[in-house]
Amino acid sequence: MSPADKSAAERAARDRLAADEAAATGPARTAVTLGQIFRRFWRHPSPWMILFVLAAALAWRIAEGGWALADLRAPALLVAAFPVLEWVVHVFVLHWRPRTFAGLTVDTELARDHRRHHADPRDVPLVFIPWRSLSLVIAAYTTVALLAFPRLGEALTFILSVAAVGLLYEWTHYAIHSDYRPRSRPYRAVWRNHRLHHYKNEHYWFTVTTAGTADRLLRTYPDPATVPTSATARNLHAST
């Protein structure tokens, strides 16, 4: 493909995406500032829950003392692995297809709410992790961390690192679905990546806080011009 043809294909893909989004979201968005959406972000329970865990873990870690270089191992691994972890959770937990075993349907609140989120990406409460599920996640990873690490200091550092990453995830996901328009190139890439997932094809572009990381590694980062617009992006698991 010549550079001119490639450029034309990219423009066509962007035009199709804009048309898809306009059809899905209805009237034009209202321009808002970053400060406005930041204040609105704190009207929802999950950011406060995560912030509480982060603050409590940090205060406990400071009181515990005994800082060591080893404390950085788990947080460093978490940051490095997070794009892949995010991809795995999105694909296998959030996009879980309800299954019936021995007459019992296996489904989760996270998967149910995520299907509703795809049905209406503009429904703000559905952007956030459900507080009941988040409570279980916090209890589970805190317990595992306290039992798994050889030193309490390492466990606490890991707990506050997970909370920090979780808060970043909630903020990024909310910002993408808000009326705020991207102004920096890095954020525009993340914004476009996730909106392709919602408005172009739900089988690709699974990362939220990054763009082209785990999706490239796991081969879910195609050229949008080569991907058909999905008829089920707003109705996960429906037959076409």
Side-chain angles (χ1 to χ4, degrees):
M1 180 183 292
S2 69
D5 289 340
K6 184 176 181 181
S7 178
E10 290 176 349
R11 285 197 301 272
R14 286 196 297 270
D15 290 344
R16 287 198 300 272
L17 176 60
D20 292 342
E21 182 179 343
T25 59
R29 291 166 171 245
T30 303
V32 296
T33 66
L34 193 60
Q36 285 175 313
I37 69 164
F38 183 76
R39 290 189 291 272
R40 294 171 188 174
F41 175 69
W42 296 104
R43 297 175 184 174
H44 302 274
S46 66
W48 288 104
M49 293 170 67
I50 299 171
L51 182 63
F52 174 80
V53 173
L54 191 156
L58 179 59
W60 192 1
R61 183 65 189 90
I62 292 172
E64 176 68 15
W67 297 90
L69 193 60
D71 290 357
L72 298 178
R73 288 182 301 193
L77 287 172
L78 172 66
V79 171
F82 186 71
V84 173
L85 292 174
E86 188 177 63
W87 190 98
V88 169
V89 170
H90 198 161
V91 172
F92 295 106
V93 177
L94 302 184
H95 279 233
W96 168 264
R97 183 189 295 269
R99 292 169 173 82
T100 300
F101 300 96
L104 178 67
T105 299
V106 179
D107 201 2
T108 67
E109 180 185 47
L110 286 170
R112 290 194 301 272
D113 271 18
H114 195 69
R115 292 194 293 271
R116 294 169 60 203
H117 174 51
H118 267 268
D120 187 1
R122 298 280 286 156
D123 189 339
V124 174
L126 294 174
V127 170
F128 295 92
I129 302 171
W131 69 266
R132 289 176 294 270
S133 296
L134 180 59
S135 299
L136 294 175
V137 170
I138 290 172
Y141 91 76
T142 300
T143 301
V144 169
L146 292 173
L147 294 175
F149 286 91
R151 293 173 47 249
L152 177 59
E154 285 186 71
L156 294 172
T157 304
F158 178 74
I159 290 168
L160 70 89
S161 299
V162 172
V165 169
L167 197 58
L168 173 65
Y169 172 88
E170 287 288 79
W171 165 248
T172 304
H173 194 210
Y174 170 72
I176 291 169
H177 286 280
S178 74
D179 289 335
Y180 181 72
R181 308 296 288 187
R183 297 182 181 178
S184 67
R185 288 189 65 183
Y187 175 56
R188 179 174 290 277
V190 170
W191 180 87
R192 179 175 180 268
N193 196 75
H194 191 60
R195 297 180 78 78
L196 283 167
H197 175 75
H198 274 283
Y199 298 113
K200 182 67 174 174
N201 195 304
E202 75 276 21
H203 301 295
Y204 303 99
W205 306 291
F206 288 103
T207 56
V208 176
T209 58
T210 60
T213 51
D215 280 312
R216 286 186 188 274
L217 178 66
L218 298 166
R219 301 188 178 186
T220 51
Y221 193 75
D223 180 347
T226 67
V227 177
T229 299
S230 172
T232 57
R234 298 186 68 182
N235 189 9
L236 295 186
H237 315 312
S239 298
T240 56

